[in-house]
Amino acid sequence: MTAMTVPAPLTARRAPLPRLMRSELRMMLRRPRTLIGLGLLALVPVVAGIGIAIATDANSDEPMGQGLETLVAGNGLLLPVFALVVSLNMLLPLTGAMLAADALAGETAHGTLRNLLTAPVGRARLLAVKAFGVATVSLLATLLMAVTGTIAGILLLGGEGMLTSSGTQLPFLDGVGRVLLTVVLVTVQVWALAAVALAVSAWTEHPLIVVVVSLGLVIVSGVLSVIPALDWLDPVLITTSWQSVSDVVRDPLPTGSITEGLLRAACYIVIGYSLALSRILTRDG
Amino acid sequence: MNRKRTALAVAAAGTATGVVGLVLIASPAGAGEAPPALPDISAEALVQSVLDADAPAMAGAVELRNDLGLPLPGLPQGKPGEDVARIYADGQGRARLSLDEGGSERTIVHDGSTTWIWNSATRSVQKLEGGPDEERAERMADPATAARDFVALMQKDSTVTVDGTARVADRPAYQLVLTPKPTERTLLREVRIAVDSETRLPLRLDVLANGQAEPALRVGFTEFATGAQDAGLFSFTPPAGAKVTEGERGERPSKQERTDALEGLDLKHVGEGWDTVLTGKLPADALTRQAPENGRGDRGPATGLDLLKQVGKEVSGPFGSGYVVTTKVGTALVTTDGRVALGAVPQQVLVDALGQK
């Protein structure tokens, strides 16, 4: 009998969450800029692979570049890891910020957010749908890069399995596991930046401001992290965990730094989404 | 109005959670925790147990903090909270050490009979028969060895005390403190060694200089766990395509050359204990020769003399004239005619040592 007291009409008027998410995703993937962005990102590992293949053909004995780059030649499975780590410095955060800017500030600029706010969708649910869209497309971007990177790496650079920076040779499947782990770590870091960008996006009606603020955050964090007197600040900077992503090619896997990077990203995600939610809740229709 | 209050609560709660999380990540584990309660032990018994302790099977991560004001050559530069090395040992003489050199990695595997040194920057492997030809960098990276060597060396000229307990790498440890005897003329105030209560292995070495609250140098474990290790860690197969050099280290001078070079340096210890001064003579061309490029492509000043002018202060005295380089824990004096004196002592002690020759 108590079940009858639930206000049935209200639940009926609410659109189901999965359907909202699907339509949001469809809308995002139909935007030309999203598609062009994804396509360009997918090309990054291919271009890097061609560059490295040509460079190593020219002089075979010289050590080239720094860090991961020295290991990529003749070590195809490392190419997607290398491309993802390099893109995490600027291209992927830029993508995350752009998606977050479109999600709320873009809608405000077009005057369409007003409709959404007055629609029979809870505001928390609206934010959840938007966050889902941003997160899924970022994941799609990194996955796409991993796929093109792996294919390009094997075709252009060859190599059996994966040579780790510790000098051990991982079997092919373990190598693919490391690539997937990189995808997860990089995606979570992009989510962290996108969460902050979404908070900015909820507060402004200019998508450009969102992108500028997010990239400003990345650049300022990068500058602060190289000042020795501010070393104590390092553990709270969003970019600190980005540098440790390349730890995935060490063997054995240093779990400590990897978990720390994930936790740091989670903190930023919580901060970003709670600020975004508070703004969405108070916003006038 | 109600909605506004909810929103504020959401924002405050979420931001607070996130910030607290970030602060927790930033604060080192065990900070602010009460020191563990351990049975009392006399300083002599503790020192003896440290010197007698066998290396157990273990895995650990090492941090290195250098607040000397000068980078130490040959040592990786660690930022606070960042591990510079990982160590694995099976307790029977086989060990693996991974040095993180910022972008590249060196792995040293000693499998009982052969030592393999892998350098990811050059993708090369050095194969050495017999025990590891221990370099300072590799020795220093292992806090246990570094601390044990130090205790053995300094016991005589120090007041050794046990100063309570501490938690290092999440393990209860005794704090062994070596303070220089009052007659020692040194810049150092004390050296603190955290000794694991269970294995009696030194877990951390702190060097404190006079008038400094923070250690000038810290080598210590941030993670430490005893227990059997995966046997695969202690074997090494050079990966396909890597350059493998056997025997003597390729680019290094041979042993004979090194001995000759050392004799040419005319190294002498003046004094003993904390105020030991190392004096010597630089090879004739050392100050004017072009500094070699160090692999990573960053070039220092052109010659040794230029470098000295940059970091040192010009001084003169009974020894002639020269440059003195002062750090928080030590002083080095290089005269213009190529004599060198260095030690963890004030400048005057170096001048005296040069005068004794």
Side-chain angles (χ1 to χ4, degrees):
Chain A
M1 269 306 163
T2 44
M4 293 294 281
T5 56
V6 174
L10 200 68
T11 42
R13 275 176 54 206
R14 274 194 173 178
L17 207 54
R19 207 178 76 201
L20 286 174
M21 288 175 165
R22 225 177 306 139
S23 74
E24 168 75 12
L25 208 55
R26 207 178 305 132
M27 197 179 73
M28 289 182 87
L29 287 178
R30 225 177 264 160
R31 281 190 201 120
R33 56 177 171 274
T34 314
L35 291 177
I36 294 173
L38 287 179
L40 288 178
L41 281 175
L43 276 180
V44 169
V46 180
V47 173
I50 294 174
I52 289 169
I54 293 172
T56 42
D57 275 355
N59 48 351
S60 52
D61 223 29
E62 287 284 295
M64 47 170 295
Q66 268 201 314
L68 280 182
E69 205 183 332
T70 51
L71 286 172
V72 178
N75 191 14
L77 264 189
L78 210 61
L79 183 63
V81 178
F82 171 70
L84 281 169
V85 167
V86 168
S87 306
L88 185 56
N89 286 326
M90 198 45 95
L91 287 179
L92 286 170
L94 188 67
T95 313
M98 186 193 82
L99 294 171
D102 276 340
L104 291 173
E107 299 256 19
T108 319
H110 286 108
T112 42
L113 191 67
R114 183 176 292 262
N115 297 340
L116 290 174
L117 287 176
T118 49
V121 177
R123 294 189 168 192
R125 279 155 61 92
L126 171 68
L127 182 69
V129 169
K130 291 292 181 190
F132 166 80
V134 174
T136 314
V137 178
S138 332
L139 175 66
L140 199 64
T142 49
L143 266 179
L144 212 58
M145 286 180 75
V147 170
T148 55
T150 309
I151 296 172
I154 290 171
L155 290 182
L156 294 168
L157 303 167
E160 279 172 48
M162 180 194 268
L163 172 65
T164 65
S165 67
S166 309
T168 52
Q169 192 89 31
L170 292 179
F172 183 77
L173 276 183
D174 286 11
V176 173
R178 294 290 172 103
V179 173
L180 288 179
L181 182 61
T182 316
V183 169
V184 171
L185 296 180
V186 168
T187 309
V188 171
Q189 298 303 333
V190 177
W191 285 354
L193 187 80
V196 177
L198 204 63
V200 183
S201 188
W203 283 86
T204 177
E205 54 189 57
H206 306 289
L208 197 60
I209 288 183
V210 180
V211 178
V212 168
V213 170
S214 316
L215 289 193
L217 176 70
V218 174
I219 292 167
V220 169
S221 303
V223 169
L224 291 180
S225 72
V226 293
I227 300 176
L230 297 177
D231 273 355
W232 53 270
L233 206 61
D234 272 3
V236 298
L237 294 178
I238 194 168
T239 45
T240 302
S241 10
W242 298 5
Q243 283 136 26
S244 61
V245 169
S246 55
D247 277 352
V248 292
V249 297
R250 301 182 65 178
D251 188 39
L253 207 59
T255 42
S257 67
I258 288 176
T259 354
E260 192 186 301
L262 287 178
L263 286 176
R264 190 177 295 123
C267 289
Y268 273 97
I269 291 175
V270 170
I271 295 177
Y273 282 144
S274 59
L275 288 178
L277 182 60
S278 80
R279 177 60 182 160
I280 285 282
L281 286 177
T282 47
R283 203 163 181 148
D284 297 327
Chain B
M1 214 59 228
N2 193 17
R3 188 193 275 172
K4 206 158 214 165
R5 211 177 301 147
T6 326
L8 271 179
V10 166
T15 313
T17 316
V19 170
V20 167
L22 286 177
V23 170
L24 280 183
I25 292 174
S27 53
E33 224 173 284
L38 291 172
D40 282 342
I41 187 168
S42 75
E44 292 78 33
L46 186 59
V47 167
Q48 200 51 46
S49 66
V50 168
L51 296 178
D52 291 344
D54 290 324
M58 50 77 69
V62 176
E63 67 165 347
L64 174 75
R65 269 193 237 176
N66 167 1
D67 192 20
L68 299 178
L70 271 185
L72 285 179
L75 280 179
Q77 281 290 295
K79 283 188 162 190
E82 224 171 90
D83 301 328
V84 294
R86 299 191 72 85
I87 297 177
Y88 307 86
D90 74 343
Q92 280 135 40
R94 296 192 297 165
R96 181 193 187 95
L97 174 68
S98 294
L99 285 173
D100 185 357
E101 299 183 318
S104 72
E105 195 179 337
R106 254 195 307 167
T107 304
I108 298 144
V109 178
H110 180 58
D111 66 7
S113 59
T114 312
T115 304
W116 303 89
I117 303 172
W118 154 262
N119 186 346
S120 82
T122 53
R123 283 172 88 159
S124 62
V125 177
Q126 283 171 352
K127 184 183 173 192
L128 303 169
E129 294 301 332
D133 179 11
E134 280 179 330
E135 267 184 277
R136 192 184 39 192
E138 289 146 27
R139 281 179 79 79
M140 280 295 283
D142 180 358
T145 323
R148 217 171 349 198
D149 286 356
F150 184 81
V151 171
L153 197 67
M154 287 303 182
Q155 217 178 335
K156 194 157 57 83
D157 299 293
S158 316
T159 318
V160 185
T161 48
V162 179
D163 181 24
T165 60
R167 198 164 268 282
V168 177
D170 213 22
R171 288 173 74 88
Y174 291 105
Q175 291 264 43
L176 187 65
V177 181
L178 284 88
T179 320
K181 292 210 167 130
T183 52
E184 304 283 310
R185 297 172 299 171
T186 173
L187 292 175
L188 301 181
R189 187 175 79 221
E190 62 186 29
V191 169
R192 306 179 75 89
I193 299 169
V195 179
D196 185 33
S197 60
E198 190 190 318
T199 60
R200 294 298 155 86
L201 219 60
L203 293 179
R204 191 168 69 193
L205 176 73
D206 282 337
V207 178
L208 288 104
N210 281 328
Q212 300 281 321
E214 291 291 309
L217 184 70
R218 160 175 286 186
V219 197
F221 285 105
T222 52
E223 284 167 41
F224 184 90
T226 51
Q229 301 298 317
D230 181 5
L233 286 172
F234 305 112
S235 64
F236 188 84
T237 320
K243 281 183 300 219
V244 182
T245 43
E246 291 207 21
E248 285 292 341
R249 293 156 190 238
E251 292 154 32
R252 285 175 180 282
S254 72
K255 232 174 206 154
Q256 183 56 41
E257 276 170 347
R258 257 187 288 174
T259 338
D260 289 351
L262 278 179
E263 271 166 13
L265 287 179
D266 189 22
L267 288 179
K268 260 185 214 151
H269 290 280
V270 180
E272 61 175 12
W274 295 78
D275 49 12
T276 306
V277 175
L278 190 68
T279 63
K281 237 184 183 57
L282 289 175
D285 61 343
L287 288 180
T288 47
R289 190 174 42 195
Q290 294 282 319
E293 218 178 302
N294 61 0
R296 288 187 201 164
D298 43 332
R299 238 163 301 194
T303 63
L305 203 58
D306 290 345
L307 179 75
L308 274 177
K309 276 181 187 152
Q310 219 172 65
V311 298
K313 199 174 64 183
E314 198 166 356
V315 288
S316 58
F319 53 87
S321 68
Y323 295 91
V324 65
V325 182
T326 319
T327 69
K328 286 165 190 166
V329 296
T331 314
L333 180 62
V334 184
T335 64
T336 35
D337 58 2
R339 283 176 298 153
V340 182
L342 54 110
V345 294
Q347 189 186 329
Q348 188 52 45
V349 184
L350 294 182
V351 175
D352 294 350
L354 280 180
Q356 275 184 29
K357 291 228 299 176

